[in-house]
Amino acid sequence: MTPPEQKQINDSVESLQSVHSIVIEDSSLEPTVVDHLTDLRKQLIKSVIIFLVFFVGVFSTINLWFPYVTRGHKLIVLSPLEIISFYMSVSAALAFGLALPFVCNFLWQFVKPGLNEQESRFLILYSPVMFLLFVGGLAFGYFVVNPLSYNFLISLGTMNFDIMISAQEYARFLLLTTMPIGLLFELPMVAMFLAAIGLLTGDTMKKVRKWSYVTLGVLSALITPPDFLSQLIVLIPMMVLYEASIRLVMHMEKRAQLRLEAEESQSRPA
C-alpha cells in the first residue's frame, strides 16, 4: 500500500471517529433533557398530590372554616349545585394557600441546579420573607380591604335595593379582595431579585416613579371591586411598598459597592 493511500485511509478513520464522538456526545445530551423533564413531572405530581390532600382535608372540615369565610353575612343559594360550587371554591382557595410553601419547595428543588450562585443565595435567604409578604397581603385583604369594600358597597345599595348576596358571588368577591393583593405584596422581593441579577437599579426606579404609580393605580383598579374606596385602600400600601423597594434596592447596591471596594483593597499589593 502506497503512503498516499495509507494517509487517505487514516484520514477516513479519523473522520469516522470524530463523527462517532459527536454522535456519542449528542446521545449523552438526550438523557439530560429527559432527566429534566422527568424531574419536572415528578415535582408537579408531588405538588398536585399535596394540593389534593389539603383540598380533601379542608373540604371535609368546611363547617369549621365556614364562619371565617362568611363573617356572619346572610348568604343565599340559587340552586343546589351552587352549594357544592361554593364549598369547592373556598376549599380550593384555602388548599392553595396551605399547600403554597410545599409547592414552592418542590419548584425550588427543580430550578436549583440551573441557578447561579447569586440567584441561588438570593432565593435561599429571601424565600421565607416572600412567603410572609404573601401571607401579609392576604391578611391585609381579608381584614381591611374586604370588610371595608363589602360594607361600603352594601351601604351604597341599601337605599335603592333589597340586598341578597349569593354564596357564589360572595366567594368570588372574597377571592378578588385577598389573593391578588397577596401577590402584589411581593413587589419588594421582585424588585430586589431584579436588582440582584442586574436588571434593575434604584436610580431607574426613581426615574420611573410617576409611571410606576400610574401602573400600580391601574393594577389596583383591575384587581379590586369597582369602587374608589377599595382601589385607594390597595393603592396606598402599594405606593409605600414601592418606596420601600427603592430603599431596599439602594441598600443592596451600597452593600455590593462596599464589598467590591473591600475586595479591591485586599487584592492590592502591600
Side-chain angles (χ1 to χ4, degrees):
M1 184 179 294
T2 61
E5 293 177 349
Q6 181 67 34
K7 182 179 180 182
Q8 184 176 5
I9 293 174
N10 292 335
D11 293 340
S12 301
V13 172
E14 290 178 358
S15 62
L16 289 174
Q17 289 177 346
S18 62
V19 171
H20 181 66
S21 63
I22 293 175
V23 171
I24 293 177
E25 291 178 358
D26 291 340
S27 62
S28 65
L29 291 176
E30 184 177 356
T32 303
V33 177
V34 173
D35 290 341
H36 282 305
L37 293 177
T38 303
D39 188 32
L40 176 60
R41 184 182 64 179
K42 185 187 303 181
Q43 302 302 336
L44 290 177
I45 291 175
K46 290 195 294 186
S47 300
V48 172
I49 292 175
I50 287 293
F51 172 78
L52 291 177
V53 169
F54 279 111
F55 177 82
V56 173
V58 173
F59 190 84
S60 61
T61 59
I62 191 64
N63 291 330
L64 298 177
W65 305 89
F66 193 81
Y68 300 101
V69 174
T70 60
R71 294 175 176 270
H73 298 308
K74 298 292 184 179
L75 305 178
I76 64 171
V77 291
L78 304 178
S79 68
L81 293 178
E82 188 172 347
I83 300 174
I84 299 299
S85 179
F86 176 80
Y87 287 164
M88 293 188 66
S89 299
V90 173
S91 299
L94 292 175
F96 174 78
L98 294 172
L100 186 61
F102 300 92
V103 174
C104 291
N105 180 64
F106 295 150
L107 294 179
W108 160 250
Q109 296 299 326
F110 172 72
V111 302
K112 182 180 179 180
L115 298 178
N116 58 40
E117 183 180 357
Q118 188 175 14
E119 295 169 344
S120 179
R121 185 169 61 251
F122 178 89
L123 290 178
I124 291 176
L125 291 175
Y126 294 103
S127 291
V129 181
M130 295 171 65
F131 177 70
L132 291 177
L133 282 174
F134 179 74
V135 174
L138 292 179
F140 180 77
Y142 179 80
F143 291 107
V144 179
V145 178
N146 178 266
L148 290 178
S149 302
Y150 184 88
N151 293 330
F152 174 75
L153 293 173
I154 293 299
S155 62
L156 193 65
T158 51
M159 294 183 296
N160 300 309
F161 303 98
D162 294 328
I163 305 297
M164 291 186 297
I165 308 297
S166 70
Q168 189 62 29
E169 288 299 318
Y170 178 80
R172 189 171 69 89
F173 180 82
L174 179 62
L175 295 177
L176 185 64
T177 52
T178 52
M179 298 294 289
I181 299 175
L183 296 176
L184 281 180
F185 266 55
E186 300 290 345
L187 177 62
M189 292 296 101
V190 174
M192 291 178 67
F193 180 74
L194 294 177
I197 62 177
L199 296 180
L200 189 65
T201 63
D203 292 334
T204 302
M205 296 184 70
K206 287 182 178 180
K207 291 179 182 179
V208 299
R209 178 187 276 120
K210 294 181 180 179
W211 293 108
S212 299
Y213 285 169
V214 173
T215 303
L216 292 175
V218 173
L219 287 176
S220 64
L222 291 175
I223 68 172
T224 56
D227 64 277
F228 176 75
L229 179 62
S230 301
Q231 297 169 10
L232 185 63
I233 293 173
V234 174
L235 179 60
I236 291 176
M238 293 311 304
M239 294 172 65
V240 174
L241 287 174
Y242 186 84
E243 294 298 327
S245 302
I246 295 177
R247 301 294 184 272
L248 291 172
V249 170
M250 295 183 67
H251 179 67
M252 288 181 59
E253 292 174 348
K254 185 177 180 180
R255 288 183 57 185
Q257 183 65 27
L258 292 175
R259 190 184 305 112
L260 181 61
E261 292 176 356
E263 292 176 354
E264 291 179 351
S265 63
Q266 293 176 358
S267 61
R268 293 173 185 171

